[in-house]
Amino acid sequence: MKPVTPSWARFVALVAALAVVSSCGLPRVGPNKKEIFSGSVQKEGDAFIVTVNDRVTRATAYVPALGFSDAFKNAGLIGSDSIRPGDTLGLTIWENVDDPLLGTSGPTGAGAAVLEEVQVDGAGFIFIPYAGRIKAAGNTPEGIRRIITRKLADQTPDPQVQVRRLAGDGASVSLVGSVGGQGVFPIERPTRTLSTMLANAGGITIAPEIAQITVIRKGMRSKIWFQDLYKNAEHDIALRDGDRILVEEDTRSFVALGATGTQAKVPFESQTLSGIEAIAQVGGLSATAADPTGIFIFRNEPASIANLVMGRQDLQGAQRLVYVLDLTQPNGMFLARDFSVRDGDTLYVTEAPFTQWNKTISAVTGSLGTVDTLTSIGSGG
């Protein structure tokens, strides 16, 4: 039997390697452009595939707005010494008579009447003998003093009244989260607004671009971007007793897959994020593998935006949309800059056709190298 020459051996190996590659496929990062387009509604799939243009960027330029409700913004400043239900007051009353209503008489004149630990009830009232029930909540100690003085003046001449809040009481708020000092802080004259209270707590400890401030007040909750607090004075709301203030980092993120610098779940680094910024945030496109004509953003769009994008009115419920960016177009970079990435998006970059070809060649040449080695061993070389 005539031995097979090395050249014939290489040819046979090449055919065998190509057969294996074509039947088994090669490793890759995900679907290619053709496979993604095959899942479109036009081809009986379940996703709308949309090429991004100026109209699409305008239709999808939706960023969830944060801001305080009118109930928060319209609240006026409270006095730093305003009395609230549950406060405890101390009162001292002097009467310029020998036989006082409240005090005790003595050889040197009337003594002062001292009323300690007078608690403001749940309805905001206190009871003072001969003065009756007095509305204390919302008043200052000075305001309460004037009311008691006026009511006692009808029964005793020129009464002198002192009202003081006992230690440990007063309006306060609690701050938690990413602030310099967490805790409970009193509302004082310099700290009656949100910005001054945050400063009093040591400021925030996270990047201002992604910091969010939530204020919880009697079952109501409102949230604002930290930077917006200083852009518009109306957002610097007046605080109320019992307010809870939470400072936290933005939790929005997107997922990056395919031929990018990294494949991961990526948090937002700013209030708004464009397609080009998202690509840059994951290290850009892979220089050796990425196809700049095949950048896809997968998203579930609400019906209102999906109808606007598709120019329809009959879509109902959330719709699967796949947006296509082509950076090689004359305005491709501008469109990627103007297109907004949103929370929960998936950014996927396909591999260039050359990448698969290169993998095929590498697989075949690697197989041929193995065959050469075996042939050499078999021939005794």
Side-chain angles (χ1 to χ4, degrees):
M1 182 176 178
K2 186 176 180 180
V4 179
T5 63
S7 60
W8 277 104
R10 290 181 61 84
F11 177 75
V12 171
L14 176 61
V15 172
L18 288 173
V20 170
V21 170
S22 61
S23 63
C24 299
L26 291 169
R28 50 182 176 154
V29 297
N32 56 37
K33 287 172 60 177
K34 181 179 178 181
E35 290 168 335
I36 293 176
F37 277 99
S38 67
S40 68
V41 171
Q42 294 87 340
K43 296 185 178 180
E44 300 183 355
D46 62 353
F48 293 101
I49 298 181
V50 180
T51 299
V52 174
N53 54 32
D54 290 328
R55 182 185 63 82
V56 171
T57 60
R58 289 192 297 269
T60 57
Y62 166 76
V63 177
L66 299 181
F68 291 122
S69 65
D70 290 339
F72 283 83
K73 292 189 291 187
N74 295 336
L77 291 174
I78 64 173
S80 58
D81 53 357
S82 293
I83 305 300
R84 61 187 177 87
D87 280 357
T88 303
L89 306 177
L91 293 88
T92 304
I93 302 172
W94 291 267
E95 299 177 56
N96 190 24
V97 294
D98 293 333
D99 187 15
L101 293 172
L102 299 172
T104 58
S105 58
T108 58
V114 179
L115 305 178
E116 292 290 1
E117 297 187 358
V118 177
Q119 188 170 34
V120 183
D121 65 22
F125 288 85
I126 58 173
F127 176 77
I128 304 298
Y130 299 102
R133 207 159 174 259
I134 296 171
K135 179 71 172 179
N139 265 314
T140 63
E142 172 60 21
I144 297 172
R145 184 195 70 79
R146 289 197 299 265
I147 295 173
I148 296 175
T149 299
R150 185 176 66 252
K151 291 197 172 189
L152 290 179
D154 296 334
Q155 304 176 65
T156 185
D158 194 26
Q160 303 297 305
V161 180
Q162 180 188 64
V163 179
R164 60 196 180 278
R165 189 204 307 272
L166 299 185
D169 294 310
S172 62
V173 300
S174 60
L175 278 85
V176 296
S178 302
V179 290
Q182 302 184 65
V184 178
F185 297 86
I187 299 177
E188 300 174 324
R189 187 167 297 278
T191 58
R192 293 184 292 176
T193 64
L194 179 57
S195 65
T196 55
M197 186 61 75
L198 288 171
N200 186 53
I204 64 173
T205 58
I206 55 178
E209 294 82 4
I210 56 173
Q212 296 178 349
I213 314 297
T214 301
V215 178
I216 305 169
R217 176 180 298 169
K218 294 182 179 179
M220 298 186 298
R221 176 189 293 260
S222 270
K223 182 185 294 187
I224 192 174
W225 291 103
F226 175 77
Q227 290 184 324
D228 289 346
L229 181 61
Y230 294 91
K231 290 180 181 178
N232 195 329
E234 70 175 2
H235 294 312
D236 193 14
I237 60 172
L239 298 176
R240 286 289 182 270
D241 178 48
D243 281 354
R244 290 176 290 165
I245 303 169
L246 170 64
V247 180
E248 58 186 343
E249 187 172 299
D250 182 15
T251 59
R252 294 175 302 160
S253 64
F254 68 95
V255 174
L257 298 173
T260 60
T262 184
Q263 301 186 51
K265 184 177 181 180
V266 186
F268 280 37
E269 293 183 350
S270 57
Q271 291 185 27
T272 59
L273 186 69
S274 69
I276 206 71
E277 289 171 331
I279 294 171
Q281 198 169 320
V282 296
L285 304 181
S286 172
T288 58
D291 179 4
T293 71
I295 299 173
F296 296 88
I297 295 177
F298 296 78
R299 176 185 302 165
N300 289 337
E301 286 284 23
S304 58
I305 296 180
N307 277 309
L308 194 60
V309 171
M310 301 304 300
R312 298 171 57 165
Q313 297 180 347
D314 60 328
L315 298 175
Q316 297 181 356
Q319 302 291 320
R320 292 179 174 177
L321 268 73
V322 182
Y323 296 101
V324 186
L325 291 168
D326 182 354
L327 300 186
T328 66
Q329 294 297 315
N331 63 341
M333 295 291 285
F334 287 102
L335 290 173
R337 184 198 63 182
D338 296 337
F339 184 82
S340 296
V341 173
R342 296 213 299 269
D343 183 31
D345 281 356
T346 298
L347 169 66
Y348 175 71
V349 180
T350 58
E351 289 184 329
F354 167 80
T355 303
Q356 285 299 308
W357 172 250
N358 192 38
K359 289 180 181 179
T360 302
I361 295 299
S362 297
V364 170
T365 55
S367 300
L368 290 179
T370 302
V371 170
D372 284 342
T373 301
L374 294 175
T375 302
S376 177
I377 293 174
S379 61

